[in-house]
Amino acid sequence: MKIEITLQCPACSGTEIKKNGKKSNGKQNYYCNNCNKQFIGDHALSYKGCHSELKQKILLMFTRGVGVRDIAEIEKISINKVLSTLTNSNYEIKPKQSHYDELEVDELWTYVGSKKNKVWLIYAYHRETGEIVAWVWGKRNFSTARNLRKKITELGVTFDTIYTDDWASFIKAFKFDNHVIGKANTVGIEGNNCRLRHRIRRAYRKTCCFSKKLYNHVKSFDLTFFYINFGHV
């Protein structure tokens, strides 16, 4: 019986593959003519953590509320593999539009290490498209709110109206804009806060999962923001 295996390069997904000798452990080595990468086919791998499709599965599970240790257990891989996949991910998000009719702004409480170490997320949200337009991290103060207003400008984004609650820092940061104050106008972003707490395990209200490092914390949110905005990772 003859078995045919279709190989794709794990780096460029190219199909111009040829055999290139054998590894020291006796496994067949392959060479990609497109990008010059050498690799072992997924069918011959001993450790599942090297599987070419695993990265996408790990990142998708992060955006669906699955914790680090749960991913490691489900996929039968090491915790270090899961964390390295997250920290090596790089998702640069740019606004889809240059002008928005309405933006909603709110803050979300999170923590890193312990609940005493609060890290606040302040972000702008477009209710009609469900897009997270801009965000900043910091303390819950005027400086962080001002940084968000500055970042919106740096991204080249303009808007007709911005909605917030009656927090004094928001009132001060957006005093030169068409600023409408009131909880009735921030229903969309409040609902999105709930979605974030369901999608990001380390943002759950009652959970044993939390970030030990700010870098990992920010990476997890960046990944989920990209998934929310574009529907894939």
Side-chain angles (χ1 to χ4, degrees):
M1 183 175 63
K2 186 178 180 181
I3 299 176
E4 291 187 2
I5 299 174
T6 301
L7 294 174
Q8 279 190 327
C9 174
C12 70
S13 299
T15 55
E16 294 186 19
I17 309 298
K18 67 178 182 180
K19 291 182 178 180
N20 190 40
K22 293 190 176 182
K23 297 289 187 181
S24 58
N25 57 10
K27 293 183 179 180
Q28 181 64 57
N29 188 43
Y30 295 94
Y31 177 85
C32 176
N33 288 324
N34 291 333
C35 67
N36 302 322
K37 180 177 178 62
Q38 298 187 48
F39 63 95
I40 300 174
D42 289 340
H43 61 282
L45 292 174
S46 302
Y47 176 51
K48 193 177 179 183
C50 296
H51 198 284
S52 61
E53 297 180 357
L54 183 65
K55 175 184 174 181
Q56 295 303 113
K57 290 179 68 177
I58 292 174
L59 295 176
L60 181 60
M61 283 192 280
F62 268 120
T63 65
R64 304 301 301 188
V66 186
V68 173
R69 285 170 175 76
D70 288 338
I71 295 174
E73 179 62 28
I74 291 169
E75 295 297 329
K76 306 302 179 185
I77 55 177
S78 69
I79 292 174
N80 285 340
K81 174 63 179 180
V82 178
L83 286 174
S84 66
T85 301
L86 174 64
T87 55
N88 290 329
S89 64
N90 187 22
Y91 290 91
E92 183 179 352
I93 306 174
K94 295 182 179 180
K96 296 180 180 179
Q97 304 170 210
S98 59
H99 180 79
Y100 296 85
D101 53 349
E102 299 175 342
L103 289 177
E104 300 174 26
V105 172
D106 198 19
E107 72 273 21
L108 181 73
W109 173 77
T110 67
Y111 70 93
V112 174
S114 70
K115 289 187 175 180
K116 294 180 180 179
N117 185 25
K118 296 179 181 179
V119 182
W120 287 86
L121 167 70
I122 301 181
Y123 70 105
Y125 176 78
H126 187 230
R127 187 192 302 190
E128 185 178 342
T129 60
E131 179 187 356
I132 298 171
V133 178
W135 66 92
V136 293
W137 292 93
K139 297 181 178 179
R140 190 177 184 270
N141 54 24
F142 168 68
S143 178
T144 308
R146 181 181 57 191
N147 287 342
L148 175 65
R149 182 63 187 91
K150 182 179 178 181
K151 186 171 184 179
I152 292 173
T153 302
E154 290 174 348
L155 290 171
V157 171
T158 58
F159 52 86
D160 295 328
T161 308
I162 195 156
Y163 299 107
T164 73
D165 56 26
D166 59 357
W167 183 33
S169 294
F170 283 155
I171 296 173
K172 189 176 179 181
F174 298 103
K175 64 181 178 180
F176 297 114
D177 302 301
N178 183 22
H179 184 196
V180 179
I181 301 169
K183 285 283 189 180
N185 301 305
T186 58
V187 174
I189 195 168
E190 292 287 356
N192 191 67
N193 288 345
C194 182
R195 176 168 60 167
L196 291 177
R197 292 203 180 277
H198 281 80
R199 288 287 179 85
I200 304 173
R201 187 59 178 267
R202 61 194 72 207
Y204 280 19
R205 288 286 188 184
K206 295 182 179 180
T207 179
C208 294
C209 300
F210 61 92
S211 301
K212 294 181 179 179
K213 296 180 179 179
L214 180 61
Y215 183 79
N216 295 355
H217 193 74
V218 172
K219 280 284 187 178
S220 183
F221 275 82
D222 286 350
L223 172 64
T224 305
F225 290 166
F226 186 91
Y227 180 74
I228 290 173
N229 285 1
F230 299 100
H232 64 87
V233 291

